[in-house]
Structure formats: C-alpha cells, structure tokens
C-alpha cells in the first residue's frame, strides 16, 4: 500500500491552533492563543513611543515592492514612490530594533536580542476609513501598531477581525494609549490614533499586566542613530540629486524623479521630526 504524503511541521502550531483547536474548543483556543502572543511577543518600549512614535517616517508598505513576475512588475524595493516615500515590504521596519536587548520576565528572552524567526506584525490592517493601514505612512511604522512575534504564531494576527488581532489591539491600547509623548509629537500621535478603529471587546479575556510583557529597551545611541538616518533622508530630499547613498541605492537614485514641491514637503516634516527625537 502506497504511503501518504509526509507531515510538514512548518506552521504546524498555527494550523493546530487556528484550524483545529479554534473550532474544536473555542474557549481553550482563546486562552492558549492569548497566552502565546502576550508571553512570546516583544513590544517597543513606551520610551520608544515617547520619542520615536514613527519608526521609519519616510517609508510605507508597497505590496509590489518586491515585484510581480506574472504581472510584469519588476522588483522596486527601496525606490521612492510619487510622494517620496521609501517602498518597503516590512523588512525595513522589522530590522529597526534588532540591535536592542529585550527586557522580559521570560527567562529565554531576558537581556537578549531577537534573531531570525520573528515577524514584525501589524495589529491594525485597516484604518477607520477602511484604507490598508500598512500603505499609510502614518500608521505603517506607528509604534502601537507593531509587535514582534515568532513566526509560528504571527499568522494568527493577520486574520482580519480575529480574536488574536483584537486581543493584541487591546494590549496595545493598554500599553500606549495614555503613555506620554514629546510635546512636539502630540499632535501627530493623536492624528494617527484617530486613524485606528477601536477594537471590539465583547467581554473577552483580560489583557496581561505590563510586567508580563517583553519590551525592546533603547539607549540614547538608538535615538541618535534613528534621528541621524531621518535627517539624512530629509537632506537628500531637499538636495534633489544626492550623490551619497541614503538608506538604499535605489532610494538615492530615485529621488530626482520626485516632484520638487513634494520632496520639500516631506523633507520639512522629517527634519522637524528628527529634531524632536534627538532633543
């Protein structure tokens, strides 16, 4: 008798939770899924939110940034779009906190850095106006919209309207909604919060206390490094024809194709933002 296909263990935990336990025992699924994402997720600390509410204010998600062979679209990751924003596929955002150690009550995470196998998950996939949140540069790298999850469980956060998505949104609100931000960022931060719809609670599980969560912890060098990169992008946009690499070669080479007024508008925003981060 011919043997069947072999079991593929990749994404096995996701399939068991979301496609088996979710239907067999919904209550157990909620308890287990909530424990996994809250205990294994890594958040950006409130201090990062205070000084750097947008990780990469010069970028947005472009679903075609890596091209589409079937549609004849070439790889264009890193090139500027018509508004001067860096076309990203999430990799730019994902790498920002990799140099930071993690503060955690989970022994395996404590004082270590994240390695391969983590995904920068977006908690809100749609804005209040039903726009794709990742394509909006204000919500794409907004700190409260991000958590780093192991790949095995990250897929559950992608399901629009799912329990895991709503649960993570509620954790985010608990951590960041009333956290202080620099006075220079308050208007920007409130403007972004208004773009994010409130999650449906419907009497679901309580979010964990903050001491049970894990956070990337910054030092002053982190903020100065981020401010320096943002200033470099602003300077390149103002110059119009930069000769030195800025973030990526494609971005540098593509800047002259952006309209002058559009370039300067983005450059002014980035300069003011970077000055606040470094102050």
């Amino acid at each position: 008798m011919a043997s069947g296909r072999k079991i593929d263990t990749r994404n096995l935990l996701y399939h068991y939770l979301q496609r088996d336990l979710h239907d067999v025992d919904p209550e157990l699924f909620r308890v287990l899924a909530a424990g996994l994402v809250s205990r294994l997720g890594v958040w950006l600390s409130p201090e990062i939110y205070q000084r750097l509410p947008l990780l990469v204010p010069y970028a947005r998600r472009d679903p075609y940034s890596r091209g589409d062979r079937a549609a004849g679209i070439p790889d264009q990751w890193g090139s500027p779009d018509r508004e001067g924003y860096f076309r990203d596929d999430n990799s730019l955002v994902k790498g920002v906190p990799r140099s930071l150690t993690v503060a955690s009550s989970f022994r395996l995470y404590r004082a270590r850095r994240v390695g391969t196998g983590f995904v920068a998950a977006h908690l809100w996939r749609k804005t209040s106006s039903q726009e794709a949140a990742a394509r909006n540069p204000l919500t794409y790298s907004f700190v409260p919209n991000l958590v780093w999850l192991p790949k095995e469980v990250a897929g559950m956060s992608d399901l629009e309207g799912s329990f895991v998505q709503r649960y993570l949104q509620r954790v985010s609100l608990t951590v960041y909604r009333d956290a202080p931000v620099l006075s220079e960022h308050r208007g920007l931060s409130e403007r972004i919060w208004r773009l994010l719809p409130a999650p449906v609670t419907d009497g679901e599980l309580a979010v964990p206390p903050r001491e049970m969560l894990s956070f990337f912890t910054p030092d002053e060098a982190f903020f100065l490094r981020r401010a320096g990169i943002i200033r470099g992008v602003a300077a390149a946009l103002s110059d119009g024809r930069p000769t030195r690499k800025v973030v990526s070669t494609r971005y540098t080479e593509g800047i002259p194709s952006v309209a002058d007024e559009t370039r300067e508008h983005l450059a002014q925003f980035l300069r003011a933002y970077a000055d606040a981060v470094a102050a």
Side-chain angles (χ1 to χ4, degrees):
M1 182 176 179
S3 60
R5 290 187 300 173
K6 293 181 179 178
I7 297 171
D8 186 351
T9 58
R10 291 173 298 179
N11 300 315
L12 187 61
L13 181 59
Y14 168 81
H15 283 279
Y16 166 65
L17 289 170
Q18 192 64 54
R19 299 185 179 180
D20 186 83
L21 188 62
H22 178 275
D23 298 325
V24 173
D25 192 335
E27 185 58 34
L28 179 58
F29 163 78
R30 285 193 289 270
V31 172
L32 185 54
L36 284 170
V37 296
S38 62
R39 200 69 176 131
L40 301 182
V42 185
W43 303 79
L44 295 152
S45 75
E47 183 184 355
I48 294 176
Y49 172 60
Q50 180 182 38
R51 291 181 62 178
L52 191 76
L54 289 174
L55 287 189
V56 284
Y58 49 85
R60 62 161 37 120
R61 182 77 175 265
D62 185 332
Y64 297 108
S65 64
R66 290 299 184 182
D68 185 328
R69 227 178 248 185
I73 300 173
D75 186 319
Q76 49 195 339
W77 179 86
S79 61
D81 63 18
R82 298 168 92 182
E83 296 180 72
Y85 288 100
F86 185 106
R87 300 174 197 260
D88 192 25
D89 63 345
N90 218 33
S91 55
L92 196 67
V93 167
K94 180 181 176 181
V96 169
R98 285 209 165 162
S99 64
L100 303 180
T101 56
V102 176
S104 178
S105 61
F106 182 29
R107 185 171 56 85
L108 188 63
Y109 282 12
R110 195 179 306 145
R112 298 188 181 186
R113 294 177 295 160
V114 298
T116 57
F118 277 84
V119 173
H122 286 81
L123 311 185
W124 278 269
R125 298 178 65 80
K126 298 285 186 180
T127 64
S128 299
S129 62
Q130 295 302 300
E131 171 194 19
R135 298 192 195 184
N136 186 323
L138 293 181
T139 49
Y140 176 49
S141 66
F142 189 45
V143 165
N145 194 23
L146 294 164
V147 64
W148 273 250
L149 293 169
K151 281 191 294 189
E152 290 87 346
V153 297
M156 293 189 293
S157 71
D158 288 336
L159 300 173
E160 186 62 22
S162 67
F163 163 76
V164 170
Q165 186 190 66
R166 298 194 308 270
Y167 182 78
L168 287 170
Q169 289 171 355
R170 290 168 53 223
V171 174
S172 177
L173 287 170
T174 301
V175 172
Y176 303 109
R177 190 63 184 95
D178 296 323
V181 293
L182 296 178
S183 58
E184 296 90 340
H185 292 329
R186 282 179 198 151
L188 173 66
S189 179
E190 284 304 313
R191 179 184 170 194
I192 300 172
W193 275 116
R194 287 195 294 271
L195 294 173
L196 301 177
V200 177
T201 56
D202 58 27
E204 290 174 342
L205 297 177
V207 299
R210 190 170 301 187
E211 58 267 23
M212 295 297 290
L213 301 176
S214 301
F215 293 98
F216 291 107
T217 56
D219 54 16
E220 188 62 21
F222 170 78
F223 292 112
L224 295 179
R225 185 165 59 251
R226 299 312 308 170
I229 292 171
I230 296 165
R231 281 198 185 112
V233 175
L237 288 166
S238 287
D239 178 273
R241 294 186 177 277
T243 55
R244 300 177 66 180
K245 179 181 174 181
V246 181
V247 188
S248 78
T249 300
R250 280 182 182 159
Y251 191 73
T252 309
E253 294 174 347
I255 283 176
S257 67
V258 183
D260 293 352
E261 185 177 350
T262 302
R263 283 190 291 100
E264 190 52 40
H265 178 74
L266 180 55
Q268 288 178 6
F269 165 71
L270 294 176
R271 276 194 296 271
Y273 181 85
D275 288 345
V277 172

